[in-house]
Amino acid sequence: MDTLDARLERLERRCRQWQGLTFAALALAGVGLGVAAMRDTPTPSGELVASRLVLTDAQGRTRATLGADEEGLSGLVLRDVEGRPRALLGVGEDGSPRLRFSTAGGESLAELTVYSDEAPRLTLSTPGGADLFSVGLQVDGSSRLELADADGRPRAILGADEHGSPGLVLVDRRGQTRAALRVTPADGASLVVEGRDGEVFRAPGVQ
C-alpha cells in the first residue's frame, strides 16, 4: 500500500499539471481576444493622427508647428532660430485660407487671404502695421487697388466696377477726393479735378 507521503506527492504533481494547463489556456484565450480586437478595429496604414505636431532643429529649437489655436485657426507656422513666427499658412474658422509673412516682432508685412471662396486680397504693410499696398477682387466681381502713404491712408485708388468700367481716384491727406477719372459702361469718360482753393474743373462726358 502506498504510504501517505507517496499519495501527497502524486497529488501535488497533478495540481502542478492542472495549473500549467490552466495558464496555457488563459494565454491562448488572451491571444485570441487580441487578434479579434485587431480585426474589429481597422488601422489605416501610413496615417498619423495628432492634434499638434512640432518640428525642432538639431539644437532642439522649435522651427515649425502644425495644429490649431484657440481662435479656430488651423495651419502651419514656420519660425526663425529664435522661435519667433515668421510665416503662416492656415485656414480660418470661417474657412478662409491665408498666407502671411511677419516681422520678428509678429507684425504682418505681406498677407494673402481669400474670402467667400471668390474674393482674394493681397496686402503689403509697413513694420508698424500700416497697409501701403492692397489689391483684391470683391464678391460682386469688382476689383480695387489702393496705394497708401506711410500712415496707411489711401491716396490713389484704381479699380473697375462689376461691369468692368475702370476708374482712378486721387485723395489728399485729409481723405478728400481731389481728382477722379472714370469711364462709364457706355464708354463715356469724365474727369473731375478740385484745386486747393475749392475750384472744380469738370470735363464733360464723351458719349
Side-chain angles (χ1 to χ4, degrees):
M1 297 180 62
D2 295 336
T3 62
L4 180 60
D5 293 339
R7 293 178 180 177
L8 290 176
E9 184 177 355
R10 286 197 300 272
L11 182 60
E12 289 177 355
R13 283 200 302 268
R14 290 177 181 176
C15 289
R16 286 194 294 269
Q17 291 174 354
W18 280 110
Q19 288 177 353
L21 292 175
T22 301
F23 291 150
L26 291 175
L28 291 175
V31 172
L33 290 175
V35 172
M38 294 178 63
R39 290 178 178 175
D40 294 339
T41 306
T43 55
S45 176
E47 181 177 350
L48 174 63
V49 179
S51 59
R52 180 178 173 85
L53 179 64
V54 179
L55 299 180
T56 60
D57 57 18
Q59 287 72 38
R61 297 171 297 197
T62 299
R63 300 304 302 272
T65 56
L66 177 62
D69 59 15
E70 297 80 3
E71 299 178 355
L73 177 66
S74 60
L76 172 66
V77 179
L78 303 180
R79 304 174 182 271
D80 58 20
V81 294
E82 301 297 331
R84 296 169 298 201
R86 301 301 299 270
L88 164 69
L89 174 61
V91 178
E93 189 176 7
D94 60 350
S96 300
R98 178 181 303 173
L99 175 62
R100 177 191 297 169
F101 300 96
S102 305
T103 65
E107 298 171 324
S108 177
L109 291 178
E111 182 172 333
L112 174 62
T113 306
V114 178
Y115 301 98
S116 303
D117 293 335
E118 53 185 341
R121 185 171 187 266
L122 171 66
T123 60
L124 303 179
S125 309
T126 65
D131 293 342
L132 294 182
F133 171 89
S134 66
V135 59
L137 300 178
Q138 308 300 317
V139 178
D140 62 0
S142 61
S143 59
R144 184 182 180 94
L145 183 150
E146 292 185 3
L147 299 178
D149 56 22
D151 296 322
R153 294 173 296 201
R155 303 298 300 274
I157 303 171
L158 174 64
D161 61 20
E162 63 274 19
H163 305 293
S165 301
L168 172 63
V169 177
L170 303 180
V171 182
D172 62 19
R173 290 177 295 179
R174 297 174 298 173
Q176 184 70 31
T177 299
R178 306 304 294 269
L181 175 63
R182 293 185 174 89
V183 176
T184 67
D187 294 333
S190 65
L191 173 64
V192 178
V193 180
E194 181 178 345
R196 295 183 59 184
D197 55 1
E199 295 183 357
V200 178
F201 169 81
R202 300 177 183 272
V206 178
Q207 303 297 328

